[in-house]
Amino acid sequence: MDRLTHLDDAGDARMVDVSQKPVTARVAQARGRVLLSRAAIGALRDRTVPKGDALAVARIAGIQAAKRTPELVPLAHPVAVHAVSVSLVVRDDGVDIEAEVRTADRTGIEMEALTSVSVAALALVDMIKAVDKHARITDIRVTAKSGGRSGDWSEQDA
């Protein structure tokens, strides 16, 4: 690659023109964690979080975030988000969050998956902060993608 695709000839940021790329089915998966205290884990498992169902709120926030990604990430293309699933699994030391986003479009959907996990984590922290002021978001990353010119990839391949 001779130059960065998000810079024009003058070196200014630009949105890449994807109008000539073919529409293909694309999937991206991302994961992250929210590390929590034993008290917070107990409140999630017992469904006694003072603000209500923290996991449901985080799941909906993650779905909504995937659809709003181009408003938050300046050079992200608006893509048709066709499906979003967000799962939250309570573990002994925190909550694992995974998002999968699907589209049939001209560009990838990794930013949507990352945004989904990030906002789900933020919503979870907001819901649980009365119980655990030290909650920590960590390990947010793309774990797999498929479709498009660069093909399939998984963190297991790295």
Side-chain angles (χ1 to χ4, degrees):
M1 180 174 287
D2 295 331
R3 62 183 202 139
L4 300 173
T5 59
H6 282 75
L7 299 178
D8 65 17
D9 292 336
D12 295 325
R14 69 176 177 114
M15 181 179 259
V16 175
D17 182 358
V18 297
S19 62
Q20 300 304 309
K21 291 175 72 175
V23 171
T24 60
R26 299 163 185 268
V27 180
Q29 295 172 342
R31 288 189 182 133
R33 303 199 77 223
V34 178
L35 300 176
L36 296 168
S37 66
R38 278 192 240 155
I41 296 299
L44 288 169
R45 287 182 170 154
D46 297 342
R47 297 179 183 240
T48 58
V49 175
K51 287 187 170 185
D53 190 342
L55 299 176
V57 169
R59 185 176 302 105
I60 295 300
I63 292 168
Q64 182 177 355
K67 298 186 297 182
R68 307 289 295 265
T69 298
E71 296 173 30
L72 302 170
V73 181
L75 300 179
H77 289 85
V79 296
V81 174
H82 292 126
V84 181
S85 62
V86 178
S87 69
L88 295 100
V89 178
V90 179
R91 306 279 185 206
D92 290 340
D93 63 345
V95 177
D96 291 339
I97 303 170
E98 183 171 353
E100 180 176 281
V101 184
R102 295 177 173 270
T103 190
D105 217 312
R106 291 180 164 84
T107 192
I109 198 128
E110 297 90 344
M111 291 299 102
E112 286 74 6
L114 286 167
T115 302
S116 177
V117 170
S118 299
V119 173
L122 289 168
L124 180 60
V125 168
D126 180 51
M127 293 293 291
I128 202 78
K129 67 186 177 191
V131 179
D132 186 352
K133 295 185 184 348
H134 301 286
R136 186 167 44 130
I137 298 169
T138 185
D139 296 325
I140 297 174
R141 71 218 183 266
V142 174
T143 56
K145 69 158 252 28
S146 65
R149 182 175 57 197
S150 63
D152 298 353
W153 176 87
S154 169
E155 74 177 355
Q156 296 171 347
D157 300 334

